[in-house]
Amino acid sequence: DGGDIDIISIQFLEFDTSGRLIVLNQDDTYADTSLNNGDIVTFKSISRDLDPTLPIEDQLDVLPGGVQVTLRGKVMDKKTGEEKI
């Protein structure tokens, strides 16, 4: 057991449906945070802008094809006392 991990930042990226990895939405709400085991996070997806009355093919600019979630954390090594990111 190396130690407990504290999450210090989270970034959410949503990509388009073209396969070219064009970022449609970036949420940095948790860019500077301190989260522990059991904490809950949410993010605002660009899909919230979809209009259910319009055809989906007319809304590809707000239709995510994928999401990337990047987490950064720090851990205190119990044996050495070193803090690592």
Side-chain angles (χ1 to χ4, degrees), residues 25-85:
N25 182 43
Q26 179 174 333
D27 185 335
D28 290 318
T29 301
Y30 302 98
D32 183 19
T33 192
S34 180
L35 301 169
N36 298 295
N37 189 23
D39 288 344
I40 297 172
V41 298
T42 60
F43 84 104
K44 294 182 180 177
S45 174
I46 195 166
S47 63
R48 71 187 178 279
D49 296 333
L50 286 168
D51 183 340
T53 66
L54 297 175
I56 200 75
E57 53 272 357
D58 293 342
Q59 303 181 78
L60 295 180
D61 59 330
V62 293
L63 179 66
V67 65
Q68 173 183 311
V69 181
T70 304
L71 301 164
R72 290 183 63 227
K74 66 180 178 179
V75 63
M76 179 69 72
D77 188 308
K78 290 180 181 178
K79 291 181 182 177
T80 65
E82 291 181 341
E83 186 175 87
K84 300 176 181 179
I85 293 185

